[in-house]
Amino acid sequence: EKSNTNERDILIPKKAILPSMLFFSVTICFAACCAFLPLLALEREISQISLFFISHGGISIIARPIGGALGDRIGRLPIVIFGMITMSSAMFILAAADSNFIILFAGIFSGLGVSLCNTGLFALALDRVSPDQQGSATAVIQLAWDVGIIVSGIGLGFLATKLGLASLFIAGGLCPLIALGVTIILLLNGELSIKKPSNDIIKPVK
């Protein structure tokens, strides 16, 4: 009983931090899209920037439930890895976008990236904590949105003023690739496993 009480008193569960950090690599990308796509549209004379968000939202409606079901069957990490790759691809596509069609295409990739990583990493964070910490773990994983918005606005915004909008999207696209590299290293070290949810854990934090 004392152990359960102590767990409930923890504000930030340690085992939820890694999923949140990985998710941050995706939220910084989408925050950049929300903030800077209108400027990209003006610079490159793209008339329907809304196509990005329409395709993003449309594919998300499909990808979230499918990704969640797949995560329950084959584990969280496969869908997260795929999401990181598609989010990174979306940013690189936007860096070169010059038409409505390409913007729509990038939105599909972005929708896959955000929805699959959000679903998989949210579930992974809950898998890694006790039932008494699930509310706190939820808060930690959602903090990735807030931090992503701040870092995107300041860091990527500064980069855009110095090197142009294309550099912003290229830099953003590197973030999920870095997170992917971290995930692969953890997999190779045996600290993270691509298995069903009951085994999707990292060695206990001491």
Side-chain angles (χ1 to χ4, degrees), residues 4-205:
N4 289 339
T5 301
N6 290 338
E7 286 184 346
R8 285 195 295 268
D9 291 339
I10 295 175
L11 184 63
I12 299 179
K14 290 182 179 179
K15 293 183 180 181
I17 293 175
L18 176 64
S20 183
M21 291 176 66
L22 295 177
F23 188 39
F24 162 75
S25 72
V26 172
T27 63
I28 190 175
C29 293
F30 189 64
C33 293
C34 293
F36 299 106
L37 269 180
L39 295 178
L40 185 74
L42 289 174
E43 180 182 275
R44 300 183 183 177
E45 299 182 350
I46 300 172
S47 61
Q48 297 295 330
I49 203 69
S50 62
L51 289 174
F52 173 87
F53 298 101
I54 292 170
S55 59
H56 175 104
I59 197 66
S60 295
I61 292 172
I62 300 170
R64 284 184 193 274
I66 294 176
L70 285 174
D72 290 337
R73 287 170 174 77
I74 64 175
R76 316 303 187 192
L77 290 180
I79 65 169
V80 170
I81 289 171
F82 184 76
M84 289 175 176
I85 293 171
T86 55
M87 189 70 238
S88 183
S89 299
M91 297 299 283
F92 294 142
I93 291 170
L94 287 172
D98 60 0
S99 70
N100 291 328
F101 176 77
I102 295 177
I103 287 293
L104 185 148
F105 193 62
I108 293 173
F109 275 74
S110 173
L112 287 171
V114 173
S115 61
L116 293 179
C117 287
N118 192 356
T119 300
L121 291 169
F122 186 91
L124 180 61
L126 296 185
D127 290 340
R128 289 164 50 78
V129 302
S130 69
D132 289 332
Q133 294 180 316
Q134 289 185 348
S136 296
T138 298
V140 171
I141 196 75
Q142 296 301 337
L143 280 174
W145 281 113
D146 306 314
V147 178
I149 290 170
I150 294 171
V151 174
S152 175
I154 298 174
L156 295 183
F158 177 79
L159 184 65
T161 61
K162 297 297 182 181
L163 300 177
L165 286 172
S167 66
L168 177 154
F169 291 102
I170 292 171
L174 293 175
C175 293
L177 293 183
I178 293 171
L180 177 60
V182 171
T183 302
I184 292 173
I185 290 172
L186 291 173
L187 285 168
L188 293 176
N189 289 342
E191 297 176 359
L192 199 60
S193 175
I194 298 184
K195 292 182 180 179
K196 291 187 177 180
S198 60
N199 292 320
D200 266 342
I201 59 173
I202 290 179
K203 294 176 181 177
V205 177

